Amino acid sequence: MSLSPLQGFACVGLNHQTAPMDIREKVSFPDAKMTKAFEDLLGLSGLSEAMILSTCNRSEVYVQLTNESALKQIEMFFSKHHEFEHSIIRSHLYAYKREEALTQLFTVATSLDSQLIGEPQILGQVKTAYHLAKKMGALGPKLEPIFQNAFRVAKKIRTETGLGKNAISLAFAALKLAKKVFSSMDGLNVSLVGAGEMGTLFAKHFHTNGAKLTILNRTRERGLALASRFSADYLPLEKLQENLLQSDLVVFSLESPTPLLCKANLKGLMQKRRYRPLFLIDISLPRVLAPDMPHFEGIYRYDLDDLAQIVRKNMDERKHIAERAKLLIQNEVADLITLEKSKYLSPQIAEVKNQAFSLTNQELQKAFGKLKHLSVKDRETVEDMAHRISKKMLHHQIQELKSRP
Amino acid sequence: MLAYPFVTLFHIFFSLFADVVLFFCGVLSLFYLLVNSSLKKKRFSSFVDKLPALTTLEKTNYVGLTIAFASLSFGTLSGSFLASIYWGDDWYLDVRQLWSMITWFLIFSLLAVRYSSGMRGQSLALGTLLALSLSISSALFLDYLPFTKHSKSSSEHIQIGKVP
């Protein structure tokens, strides 16, 4: 009897949890060598379909086995294909079969197995790997529905649990906060004070979301270079006070021994700005916004610690969500297994039942030949009894068949 | 038969409409204060996460307040006309009448200051809530005061269809 899709489903690979970066680098499958990888993999005996997933955090092979002993060959494939010592690579590899392999695929696609739980890229990477395998002719009727289910489950869980909704990077947290004040970044006047590396990363996020950037820097050349990178305006740092009148959001990312803005700078500013809200983000160390600055209406001020606290809270929240998502994956896997069992066992069960029915009927005809004195009603009673006994005897065997892994 | 059926209906419609829009503005103002306070305290509940941005709340409130003001103006004008018909020369000395005028003037001031100086945010939200509370108290409590001409127990209470 051939293996059903889930019975033959397996996964072999390594990831950021089982292998260090230098091993992962050597065992990856670059696009240029993918054709050869598929040729080598499909050349192995004992497997019929395959998909290779290679990202910076993992190299995994999902296969449809026709013979379970092929798992060892797939492990060997990792070392042979990469010309790597098998004894070294073996300790980093994991191999999963059936439910475990299915759980692994769903966990990866949902981004629960990523370094940054909930990151959105992995689902796209799994889809790309799936399309490539399809193009290579490595996917067939058994693996294809399994991957379709993985995409469905990943999408469903992300939507239902809100996994990936909250910001887990400082720049993204700042962007989300800004959107809580201004609703949209489109056409918003954002000023970047200082051309520090982190400030540039923030500026990139705001620029990508449609904000109009102005760079203020001490060094003119560096400021102009950064301004040209984001099609932004450049202003010397001395124009900061003047610039505060036009800006909606200001990111401070520069080194300064003394605060750049204090109470006196902001007094009367809001009146001149016609009370438009002003969002100040100070990611400089030491801070350039005086710590004792009072709260002015319409001015929102966040520093590195505030953003880090939001990110930490969101990370904790993601961990809680991930626990819930894992339970949902377990349910999905259990549902799929039940569905497949009923799909694959139904014809067999029907056949057994038919055999039992015809055997019972044969024996009944023999008996009725000897018991001619029975009335029609008595014959019906005997017939009912015989079929009930046959059904009860089969019930136990069918249940045992269904409970088999 | 109504003495001034069109004016009466006009008065009822615009006064009610102003109250409804003002209520909507009050809800927006509460949301604004909630989001503003979360941004200042740097603590966000899941409810605040679902609320719109500050500027969206503020702009919608401003538009709503303008509509409520226009509607209240029509309602108050038509109401004053009816009061002068029913109550004679001292029509404006009624508590409810004065209360409506105060509400109208408060909303007018909020809009005028917003237009001239750009004042918005927390002050506009609090002003809106004050206007809403005046409007609610007028609708719910003033009619029960014995000395208002709108009083349900007053002999001078307007009886639709009966011109003194």
Side-chain angles (χ1 to χ4, degrees):
Chain A
M1 195 173 77
S2 70
L3 296 171
S4 71
L6 285 183
Q7 274 181 321
F9 187 54
C11 162
V12 181
L14 47 80
N15 65 15
H16 61 280
Q17 286 166 327
T18 65
M21 180 63 94
D22 56 334
I23 298 278
R24 295 207 307 272
E25 277 169 353
K26 286 170 189 157
V27 184
S28 69
F29 296 93
D31 287 351
K33 292 182 181 171
M34 213 42 124
T35 312
K36 172 86 171 67
F38 271 106
E39 277 173 15
D40 288 354
L41 188 60
L42 292 171
L44 301 174
S45 60
L47 62 93
S48 58
E49 298 170 37
M51 190 274 253
I52 300 173
L53 176 65
S54 184
T55 71
C56 51
N57 282 326
R58 69 188 65 251
S59 292
E60 286 177 338
V61 166
Y62 291 90
V63 291
Q64 184 58 230
L65 301 173
T66 50
N67 184 340
E68 288 198 8
S69 62
L71 268 183
K72 283 272 168 239
Q73 290 187 56
I74 298 167
E75 285 182 19
M76 291 299 288
F77 155 79
F78 269 86
S79 47
K80 275 184 189 167
H81 180 78
H82 295 100
E83 294 169 356
F84 209 79
E85 186 68 46
H86 186 64
S87 58
I88 299 171
I89 204 172
R90 196 176 51 192
S91 60
H92 299 291
L93 285 173
Y94 45 77
Y96 299 118
K97 286 188 285 186
R98 302 187 194 105
E99 290 101 313
E100 283 186 340
L102 199 59
T103 307
Q104 173 67 8
L105 174 63
F106 287 3
T107 311
V108 168
T110 318
S111 178
L112 296 177
D113 199 41
S114 300
Q115 284 214 45
L116 219 56
I117 293 170
E119 52 94 1
Q121 284 84 17
I122 186 68
L123 182 58
Q125 288 168 327
V126 177
K127 280 183 180 172
T128 309
Y130 160 80
H131 287 300
L132 185 68
K134 213 173 165 183
K135 201 175 140 190
M136 297 277 183
L139 282 188
K142 288 188 171 178
L143 274 194
E144 189 125 0
I146 290 178
F147 284 104
Q148 292 300 338
N149 270 307
F151 302 145
R152 177 187 60 80
V153 169
K155 198 177 166 193
K156 183 183 162 192
I157 289 179
R158 285 185 81 88
T159 314
E160 274 183 17
T161 60
L163 185 76
K165 196 184 75 178
N166 294 326
I168 50 168
S169 80
L170 294 174
F172 192 40
L175 183 71
K176 282 205 88 177
L177 279 171
K179 282 186 178 172
K180 203 73 207 157
V181 179
F182 302 107
S183 125
S184 163
M185 290 287 109
D186 258 341
L188 205 75
N189 290 313
V190 174
S191 299
L192 174 65
V193 183
E197 199 178 316
M198 204 165 175
T200 311
L201 185 69
F202 275 54
K204 194 177 160 192
H205 265 73
F206 291 124
H207 177 68
T208 319
N209 279 270
K212 192 172 163 286
L213 287 182
T214 304
I215 313 288
L216 291 98
N217 199 40
R218 282 196 197 97
T219 326
R220 186 183 153 80
E221 291 70 33
R222 202 163 167 205
L224 280 171
L226 195 60
S228 68
R229 192 173 147 195
F230 294 116
S231 326
D233 295 330
Y234 166 77
L235 284 175
L237 192 58
E238 295 74 40
K239 298 264 184 190
L240 175 63
Q241 186 71 29
E242 202 179 299
N243 179 258
L244 282 178
L245 290 176
Q246 277 84 47
S247 299
D248 298 302
L249 190 152
V250 188
V251 181
F252 296 89
S253 169
L254 79 166
E255 276 183 36
S256 172
T258 52
L260 278 184
L261 286 181
C262 59
K263 188 182 170 184
N265 299 106
L266 297 183
K267 208 175 173 186
L269 176 76
M270 289 310 276
Q271 198 182 351
K272 286 181 195 161
R273 288 174 53 84
R274 287 180 58 83
Y275 301 95
R276 281 182 297 112
L278 176 63
F279 193 15
L280 304 173
I281 301 172
D282 184 3
I283 50 170
S284 319
L285 274 177
R287 288 178 295 180
V288 293
L289 298 180
D292 59 340
M293 216 157 59
H295 285 289
F296 288 98
E297 197 193 321
I299 297 182
Y300 306 93
R301 177 194 159 173
Y302 280 73
D303 61 27
L304 212 48
D305 272 3
D306 299 326
L307 295 178
Q309 201 181 345
I310 290 169
V311 168
R312 268 199 302 275
K313 190 181 150 250
N314 291 347
M315 288 288 267
D316 289 344
E317 209 168 296
R318 274 201 188 188
K319 278 177 194 160
H320 285 297
I321 292 174
E323 290 305 313
R324 198 152 60 91
K326 278 176 190 165
L327 286 176
L328 290 173
I329 285 180
Q330 277 176 16
N331 292 343
E332 288 286 344
V333 169
D335 286 352
L336 275 177
I337 285 166
T338 312
L339 190 73
E340 188 183 66
K341 266 186 190 166
S342 63
K343 196 173 149 191
Y344 277 81
L345 286 177
S346 291
Q348 293 174 35
I349 291 169
E351 201 185 319
V352 171
K353 279 182 177 173
N354 279 340
Q355 276 178 3
F357 185 77
S358 55
L359 270 173
T360 312
N361 272 345
Q362 277 174 25
E363 291 304 316
L364 278 170
Q365 293 315 313
K366 277 184 200 167
F368 290 149
K370 289 173 191 170
L371 302 165
K372 291 200 166 112
H373 62 281
L374 291 179
S375 66
V376 177
K377 204 177 173 187
D378 289 341
R379 282 168 69 108
E380 279 174 6
T381 310
V382 172
E383 263 179 34
D384 279 352
M385 183 189 70
H387 285 300
R388 273 203 306 275
I389 292 171
S390 150
K391 272 183 190 170
K392 281 183 179 171
M393 287 177 75
L394 277 179
H395 178 75
H396 178 67
Q397 289 171 359
I398 289 168
Q399 288 307 313
E400 200 182 279
L401 198 64
K402 281 182 176 174
S403 64
R404 271 185 209 163
Chain B
M1 203 178 133
L2 295 170
Y4 292 94
F6 177 72
V7 183
T8 309
L9 286 175
F10 189 86
H11 169 64
I12 293 170
F13 173 78
F14 280 106
S15 302
L16 276 177
F17 185 67
D19 284 348
V20 171
V21 179
L22 207 54
F23 178 78
F24 174 69
C25 292
V27 174
L28 288 179
S29 298
L30 276 178
F31 287 166
Y32 181 94
L33 293 173
L34 204 60
V35 178
N36 186 52
S37 156
S38 301
L39 278 163
K40 289 275 184 192
K41 287 179 184 163
K42 297 161 188 179
R43 279 200 299 270
F44 301 89
S45 65
S46 53
F47 178 67
V48 170
D49 278 343
K50 288 184 189 99
L51 292 177
L54 279 183
T55 48
T56 309
L57 289 167
E58 197 275 329
K59 278 177 191 165
T60 317
N61 184 27
Y62 182 47
V63 173
L65 217 52
T66 312
I67 294 169
F69 175 72
S71 185
L72 192 65
S73 301
F74 291 132
T76 309
L77 272 174
S78 51
S80 302
F81 171 73
L82 287 174
S84 68
I85 297 292
Y86 287 106
W87 300 328
D89 291 343
D90 60 345
W91 61 270
Y92 52 88
L93 291 177
D94 179 57
V95 178
R96 175 97 184 247
Q97 199 69 30
L98 289 170
W99 207 262
S100 296
M101 293 288 190
I102 294 168
T103 311
W104 182 89
F105 188 73
L106 174 66
I107 299 176
F108 170 75
S109 312
L110 289 173
L111 292 176
V113 176
R114 169 72 166 84
Y115 181 76
S116 60
S117 73
M119 187 275 297
R120 64 191 85 191
Q122 199 170 298
S123 318
L124 189 72
L126 290 172
T128 307
L129 286 173
L130 182 63
L132 176 64
S133 56
L134 284 177
S135 170
I136 289 174
S137 60
S138 165
L140 294 182
F141 309 117
L142 287 187
D143 284 359
Y144 294 96
L145 294 176
F147 46 85
T148 168
K149 286 173 180 166
H150 279 82
S151 171
K152 298 202 183 331
S153 58
S154 167
S155 59
E156 289 181 280
H157 184 244
I158 293 176
Q159 300 282 308
I160 291 174
K162 284 184 184 175
V163 180

